[in-house]
Amino acid sequence: MKKSLGIVLSAVMAVGLLAGCQSGGSDKLVIAARGGSHVTAMEAVKGAFEQEHNVTVEIVGLEAADLKQKVSLDAKNKKGAYDLIMADDPWMPEFSEAGLFANLSELDVEADADFEESSLALGKHPYDTGELYALPFAGNVQLFFYNKELFDKHGYNVPGSWEEVLNMAEEAHAADGVAGYVIRGQQGNPIVSDFLPIFWAYGGQVFDENWKAQVNSEAGRDALNTYIRLLAAGENYETTDIVSSLAEGRGAMALGWPSWFISGETAQADYAPIPSKATTSGESMSTGMIGNWMMGVAANSQNPELAAQFLTFITSAESQKTMVEHGGVPTRKSVYLDSELAAKYKHFPVQLEALQNSQARPRTPKWSLAEEALGAELSAAIAGTKSVEDALAAANQAMDQVMQ
């Protein structure tokens, strides 16, 4: 009797398993993501997709360096552990050339005109003109931050040129003893990210069309001399101290990423797009350093079609509007321009303007090495161990060696 019952139960289970297979069953998608607010934002909206598609979405949050290493290693496997991958936008040339991402057009993913153009360009290979391999997930861009009380005290308006920034910094420092301008001059990525918007305002370009370094130029010398004078009227701080100095009125101005100063509806300093001119009479340039986090389908995903559907879902305007409430950063113009959101998150119009006048870091797989070489020489110049001319000449030479 017990044996017969067991046979019946086994048969029922087999039929159930077969029915599950025939109906598609429950699939699983795994996302390799930058940890923190990006994961929180996705967790807030993924349930609707899971229910509609009968799928489990697992989001693996990792620190940036760990994320890059893990997805690069996993790309060598025929069957990948991840279905979708997030990437800091400077990684895109390296990831695209290495074949980490699937071609999205082959998965019927279309990038509509609502995406902010400079953000969308980052996901194409070659940059801006090629096929689409990733969509912009988080639309970060550097902004100009300032202490409004100090500005009001001295009657300053938001500067439109670096000539004005320097004059204001020197005046505030002389009058009040505050840091007129706070640089982030630590060697490597910090100082390069801090310096390039000034360099771009002077009309500088890091490389020419043949990937020859161009920092040892009139623009480079003018920008670096300005940067050194800004430091003389201020301080060289790391991120946390930059934010606290502006918030407390010990510092007047600095560049930074929105997430440093702005949390939800609260900002620790006032903000504007980065000054676009070197001098008041100069030509306007794109100076806002863009720093988007991108997302694409892993080339070795075991479920690429479903992964592509999730990518479309998670970057939709509807999802972005919800994710904003959980720390998400939009990449769609309609979300930035939504009247209710813009009234609540007052930095949205400013951030959209900055995105629309932004500049990407050089689109080369060797950028991290070139950045390291440039950062070392910029650090030597602000420390006074090398002259501006010698530092930039050495930077040019080192960067050319990297690009060979």
Side-chain angles (χ1 to χ4, degrees):
M1 181 70 178
K2 290 182 178 178
K3 184 177 181 181
S4 299
L5 181 59
I7 293 172
V8 171
L9 288 172
S10 296
V12 170
M13 291 173 65
V15 170
L17 287 171
L18 179 61
C21 290
Q22 289 175 337
S23 64
S26 178
D27 289 314
K28 183 178 181 180
L29 291 176
V30 181
I31 304 172
R34 175 67 171 91
S37 60
H38 301 308
V39 174
T40 304
M42 281 190 280
E43 292 282 1
V45 300
K46 71 173 187 177
F49 185 88
E50 290 177 318
Q51 185 174 0
E52 180 181 351
H53 295 272
N54 190 26
V55 60
T56 299
V57 177
E58 178 184 345
I59 305 170
V60 182
L62 301 165
E63 292 297 322
D66 199 21
L67 171 62
K68 187 177 183 183
Q69 181 183 45
K70 284 184 180 295
V71 299
S72 297
L73 290 173
D74 187 63
K76 299 175 183 179
N77 299 322
K78 185 175 181 181
K79 292 184 177 180
Y82 309 114
D83 298 290
L84 293 117
I85 298 168
M86 283 184 65
D88 195 2
D89 83 67
W91 305 349
M92 285 302 300
E94 182 180 349
F95 279 17
S96 299
E97 289 194 9
L100 268 68
F101 288 118
N103 187 319
L104 292 180
S105 63
E106 296 174 2
L107 293 171
D108 298 323
V109 175
E110 295 183 3
D112 58 75
D114 188 35
F115 282 108
E116 202 288 311
E117 290 83 357
S118 60
S119 295
L120 190 61
L122 300 168
K124 296 180 180 181
H125 184 72
Y127 170 71
D128 192 33
T129 61
E131 295 285 340
L132 187 66
Y133 288 89
L135 290 178
F137 175 78
N140 285 321
V141 62
Q142 279 189 325
L143 297 177
F144 178 82
F145 290 90
Y146 60 97
N147 181 281
K148 191 172 186 303
E149 288 186 9
L150 285 173
F151 268 46
D152 290 344
K153 177 181 178 180
H154 291 280
Y156 295 154
N157 295 317
V158 175
S161 72
W162 286 97
E163 179 182 29
E164 294 173 84
V165 172
L166 180 58
N167 290 338
M168 290 159 58
E170 291 177 338
E171 183 179 304
H173 179 65
D176 300 331
V178 300
Y181 187 89
V182 184
I183 72 164
R184 187 165 72 115
Q186 299 79 51
Q187 189 167 317
N189 172 267
I191 194 170
V192 173
S193 297
D194 207 43
F195 170 76
L196 283 184
I198 304 174
F199 176 62
W200 290 331
Y202 277 94
Q205 290 297 319
V206 180
F207 296 104
D208 66 14
E209 63 276 9
N210 297 314
W211 293 104
K212 298 289 290 182
Q214 300 295 303
V215 295
N216 187 21
S217 59
E218 182 179 357
R221 291 185 289 275
D222 288 343
L224 188 49
N225 278 313
T226 297
Y227 196 63
I228 291 171
R229 287 182 65 185
L230 286 169
L231 173 57
E235 295 288 351
N236 176 12
Y237 288 154
E238 295 189 4
T239 302
T240 302
D241 290 329
I242 292 174
V243 175
S244 64
S245 68
L246 264 66
E248 297 166 5
R250 293 181 288 107
M253 298 170 278
L255 300 187
W257 297 100
S259 60
W260 297 357
F261 289 89
I262 304 170
S263 177
E265 303 167 58
T266 304
Q268 297 190 60
D270 277 56
Y271 43 81
I274 293 175
S276 62
K277 297 180 178 182
T279 63
T280 53
S281 60
E283 182 182 352
S284 289
M285 301 289 179
S286 295
T287 54
M289 177 181 284
I290 196 167
N292 282 196
W293 278 93
M294 314 298 290
M295 184 182 291
V297 176
N300 59 356
S301 166
Q302 298 182 60
N303 206 341
E305 290 78 14
L306 187 61
Q309 291 179 50
F310 182 80
L311 178 61
T312 299
F313 163 81
I314 203 67
T315 57
S316 67
E318 182 179 359
S319 291
Q320 288 195 10
K321 286 179 182 179
T322 302
M323 288 192 292
V324 163
E325 303 291 338
H326 302 274
V329 184
T331 59
R332 287 180 172 273
K333 290 174 283 190
S334 65
V335 181
Y336 278 111
L337 296 172
D338 181 276
S339 58
E340 290 185 8
L341 290 176
K344 186 175 183 180
Y345 302 103
K346 300 187 184 301
H347 64 286
F348 271 15
V350 174
Q351 191 156 331
L352 177 59
E353 181 184 350
L355 281 169
Q356 292 173 330
N357 294 282
S358 63
Q359 187 155 170
R361 282 159 281 188
R363 313 319 286 175
T364 167
K366 298 180 178 180
W367 171 242
S368 61
L369 295 174
E371 180 182 60
E372 184 179 339
L374 175 57
E377 298 303 331
L378 293 176
S379 294
I382 66 168
T385 59
K386 284 188 178 181
S387 68
V388 166
E389 293 76 12
D390 288 347
L392 292 176
N396 245 41
Q397 183 177 13
M399 293 167 74
D400 283 342
Q401 289 176 346
V402 167
M403 298 304 295
Q404 287 180 355

